[in-house]
Amino acid sequence: YAAAVQAAIDGLTYRGADYKAVDEALGKIPEDLSLYTEASLKALNDAKTAIAWDKNVTEQSVVDGYAAAVKAAVNGLAYKTADYTAVDKALEKIPEDLSMYTEESVKALNDAKAAIVRDKNVTEQSAIDAYAAAIEKAIAGLTKKQAETETENKVSEEKPAAVSKTSDNPK
């Protein structure tokens, strides 16, 4: 009997650790990871690859650590910054000298510029696109001052008419 008992004892194996918390943490990973920074994705991938799926019940604290690491990495995911390229291109189109435009139209342009918030993330790209559109609209809405417009009209009216080649004056 002793040999049988010893064989039974030697044949005992620990049951596997409970990975339920790890599975739950992994289930919280967003589907679209393209929105997140490389650094935060690296932390998540490191936490995932550190998981050893063969731990037994005596190593439950290690498994719980895996779950905590994955949760922390998911919570630490950071969005990429938004793309301000269209805004910057629109800003480049603003004329250097705005003194020839009406105060109202320049104010509209300055208001559009002042509305720009530079710390938006990729999930707010539509707001960034709206900034660019507002600047473009304000540039298109720049109106020259009336006095300059009248002066330009007078100058064009004062230009002498072109002399025709067939004139009444004999050579």
Side-chain angles (χ1 to χ4, degrees):
Y1 293 109
V5 170
Q6 187 60 48
I9 290 172
D10 291 342
L12 288 176
T13 58
Y14 291 106
R15 72 176 191 278
D18 181 4
Y19 282 85
K20 183 177 179 182
V22 174
D23 290 332
E24 288 175 4
L26 291 171
K28 302 238 185 222
I29 297 173
E31 285 186 34
D32 185 4
L33 295 177
S34 68
L35 303 175
Y36 301 98
T37 63
E38 290 299 317
S40 64
L41 287 174
K42 182 182 181 324
L44 177 62
N45 287 329
D46 290 348
K48 287 173 29 180
T49 57
I51 299 169
W53 294 95
D54 61 351
K55 299 294 181 187
N56 65 47
V57 71
T58 65
E59 300 170 292
Q60 187 63 48
S61 63
V62 173
V63 174
D64 293 343
Y66 297 152
V70 171
K71 284 179 188 177
V74 169
N75 290 336
L77 286 173
Y79 287 115
K80 292 178 182 176
T81 57
D83 180 5
Y84 284 83
T85 304
V87 170
D88 294 335
K89 285 183 179 180
L91 290 170
E92 290 173 2
K93 294 178 184 178
I94 296 173
E96 282 188 36
D97 183 11
L98 296 174
S99 64
M100 66 182 79
Y101 299 102
T102 64
E103 286 182 32
E104 291 172 349
S105 64
V106 171
K107 181 182 179 325
L109 177 60
N110 287 334
D111 289 348
K113 286 173 33 180
I116 299 169
V117 177
R118 287 277 179 175
D119 64 351
K120 300 269 185 199
N121 67 50
V122 70
T123 65
E124 301 168 292
Q125 188 63 48
S126 61
I128 308 312
D129 297 341
Y131 296 152
I135 293 167
E136 294 281 354
K137 181 179 178 183
I139 292 170
L142 285 173
T143 307
K144 288 190 176 180
K145 291 180 180 174
Q146 190 65 29
E148 290 184 14
T149 304
E150 288 175 8
T151 303
E152 289 172 4
N153 288 341
K154 286 180 184 178
V155 169
S156 65
E157 289 173 7
E158 292 174 2
K159 287 184 182 176
V163 179
S164 82
K165 294 210 179 216
T166 57
S167 67
D168 295 333
N169 296 337
K171 288 188 177 183

